[in-house]
Amino acid sequence: MKVRKYIEKFPKRIIGSAELMEKILSPYGLLVDEVSQLVSEGLLEPVKSSGLNGRRPVLYNRYRILRNEKDYSDVYGKIRLLHGKFDHQYYLNHPESYLEQEEDIRALSDFLWHRAKELETPMSINERSFSIFGKEKLLKSVEKKFGSCFHLRDFTWDDLNIYATPEPFFEYIHPNISEGDILVVENKDTWYTLRKIMREEDKVRLFGIDFKVLLYGEGKKITRQSGRLREYSEEVLGEGDHRFYYFGDLDYEGISIFQEAKQKNPEIQMSLLTPAYELMLSFGENMKYPMTRDHRMPRADLTAFLALFSEDHQKKILDILEGGYYIPQEILNYSTFKSHMKGNSHV
């Protein structure tokens, strides 16, 4: 019923029949029937002193909306027993908000009353969530709206003492090289091929650079969290100057991944493995390039990318990209890499 839905959301206690006729685009007879039905149900009550509207069938000029007021007295008592970190006044003013998530609010309150000292020890997000609520995924689901989900005072997300648990990278760390750089590879096949050569042939020098670590970037995974590559470098190789190199497809997507990874990890040295792209261009000169899989151009600073190449290579790259083509890094295969790789110079 249109009238019922309208008055359920109507903010005032008195509504005029003229407004109903204006807002409810129904034939007048149907409108009268709906209003009469709601009067009989006790949801509307005519304000008889307002008079009749003069039409046939008649309606009163104004109606009082009779809302079923809930008794929140028991709820108010529960709210007052919440830990002092909760904003009691907010929940007293919005008891329905408390009822909507009473179980989780009480779980957090009980934790703060009896086990708050546990917050002195850090935990992962899912560990902390299960510890407090008995639900390992709850905190993750409200991470970005914690402050509006739980109305607290002098207590924020940071007070939960949670550490991030980003997805681990697929990595290969060469065991026989004491020093070297980190090569981030966009696609799985190329990462696996390079790892195979490094493991089986003990060749780690590619284009004159010794690589100790081979990271599978999994497309955009390396751009999902700011500072992740810096953290990885410190965790795996320890503090120090460790240079990253990036190698991906020659397309707008690959370019944007490289540039975004640099932007989100300003503390690290990250360079493009330019010779690999130049080799890709030389291999593709006598073949038909595949059409790009996505004609939308992701955000990429093409000018900055092209500046890393000679004028001749810049022209070739522009011709490829503007023509709607791309070169996958898989154009360089096992035989190609093996012929361009050498043993390490740091033992």
Side-chain angles (χ1 to χ4, degrees):
M1 298 173 68
K2 292 182 179 180
V3 176
R4 183 191 301 275
K5 290 181 180 179
Y6 184 75
I7 65 172
E8 283 177 350
K9 298 179 180 180
F10 194 71
K12 301 178 182 179
R13 298 181 66 88
I14 302 294
I15 189 168
S17 58
E19 178 171 351
L20 286 175
M21 287 186 284
E22 179 183 347
K23 300 294 183 181
I24 309 300
L25 301 178
S26 296
Y28 180 72
L30 291 178
L31 180 67
V32 172
D33 289 343
E34 284 194 55
V35 170
S36 299
Q37 176 66 30
L38 295 176
V39 169
S40 66
E41 291 179 10
L43 185 59
L44 287 179
E45 178 184 62
V47 179
K48 294 182 178 180
S49 61
S50 68
L52 301 174
N53 66 351
R55 298 190 59 171
R56 292 287 183 271
V58 297
L59 286 173
Y60 282 91
N61 285 318
R62 293 195 298 167
Y63 287 82
R64 182 177 291 106
I65 300 173
L66 304 175
R67 307 187 192 277
N68 293 323
E69 299 294 342
K70 294 183 179 179
D71 182 2
Y72 287 113
S73 56
D74 289 344
V75 178
Y76 294 145
K78 294 178 181 179
I79 292 172
R80 291 188 178 95
L81 293 175
L82 292 176
H83 189 273
K85 293 291 185 183
F86 279 86
D87 186 345
H88 289 185
Q89 194 58 53
Y90 173 85
Y91 286 110
L92 289 172
N93 292 340
H94 303 87
E96 69 287 347
S97 179
Y98 170 83
L99 288 174
E100 286 176 3
Q101 52 184 141
E102 180 178 15
E103 180 182 353
D104 298 330
I105 290 173
R106 293 183 64 177
L108 179 55
S109 178
D110 289 344
F111 177 86
L112 292 173
W113 276 122
H114 305 294
R115 297 162 51 207
K117 193 171 180 62
E118 294 179 20
L119 294 175
E120 296 175 6
T121 303
M123 285 188 184
S124 74
I125 185 170
N126 286 1
E127 291 168 350
R128 183 72 77 200
S129 185
F130 190 82
S131 174
I132 296 175
F133 304 99
K135 305 172 185 177
E136 74 278 14
K137 302 293 186 182
L138 187 141
L139 282 177
K140 187 65 177 177
S141 69
V142 301
E143 180 176 3
K144 298 185 183 302
K145 53 181 180 180
F146 181 75
S148 59
C149 185
F150 295 98
H151 293 270
L152 299 155
R153 299 181 301 178
D154 302 321
F155 190 94
T156 67
W157 178 266
D158 292 338
D159 293 311
L160 292 170
N161 198 5
I162 292 170
Y163 53 81
T165 55
E167 294 181 37
F169 291 116
F170 284 98
E171 64 184 8
Y172 174 68
I173 304 174
H174 199 285
N176 300 327
I177 177 172
S178 58
E179 298 179 26
D181 294 318
I182 303 170
L183 177 59
V184 181
V185 181
E186 180 180 345
N187 299 327
K188 180 179 66 175
D189 278 39
T190 302
W191 176 84
Y192 194 92
T193 292
L194 288 168
R195 188 189 72 158
K196 183 176 179 65
I197 297 171
M198 290 174 73
R199 291 176 63 181
E200 297 178 1
E201 304 292 334
D202 199 28
K203 293 183 175 184
V204 299
R205 173 166 281 203
L206 178 61
F207 304 118
I209 305 167
D210 288 345
F211 290 108
K212 179 174 177 62
V213 180
L214 195 61
L215 277 187
Y216 171 32
E218 295 186 66
K220 294 184 177 180
K221 182 176 179 178
I222 61 170
T223 66
R224 291 177 189 165
Q225 182 183 349
S226 296
R228 181 67 183 108
L229 292 179
R230 174 189 56 77
E231 292 174 2
Y232 174 84
S233 176
E234 292 175 355
E235 291 169 3
V236 176
L237 300 178
E239 294 188 5
D241 295 328
H242 306 293
R243 180 175 289 276
F244 283 76
Y245 287 86
Y246 181 81
F247 175 40
D249 293 334
L250 182 52
D251 60 3
Y252 287 111
E253 179 95 338
I255 296 170
S256 66
I257 292 173
F258 164 65
Q259 293 176 338
E260 189 174 352
K262 289 190 65 174
Q263 292 169 2
K264 290 192 173 182
N265 297 273
E267 306 94 340
I268 68 170
Q269 301 179 66
M270 190 170 196
S271 303
L272 195 71
L273 192 62
T274 309
Y277 291 85
E278 293 172 344
L279 191 60
M280 291 167 69
L281 289 168
S282 67
F283 269 66
E285 286 180 347
N286 299 315
M287 65 177 295
K288 180 177 175 60
Y289 296 116
M291 294 292 293
T292 183
R293 292 158 291 186
D294 190 348
H295 290 282
R296 295 172 299 171
M297 292 169 52
R299 288 177 300 153
D301 186 348
L302 193 56
T303 301
F305 181 78
L306 291 174
L308 302 174
F309 298 88
S310 67
E311 289 187 11
D312 182 53
H313 286 131
Q314 288 181 28
K315 184 178 184 306
K316 290 180 180 179
I317 293 171
L318 272 176
D319 288 344
I320 292 167
L321 297 179
E322 292 179 351
Y325 301 100
Y326 78 104
I327 306 180
Q329 62 181 167
E330 289 87 351
I331 193 173
L332 305 183
N333 54 39
Y334 179 91
S335 298
T336 308
F337 283 121
K338 186 176 178 180
S339 66
H340 283 78
M341 294 179 72
K342 299 179 180 179
N344 58 284
S345 60
H346 297 90
V347 181

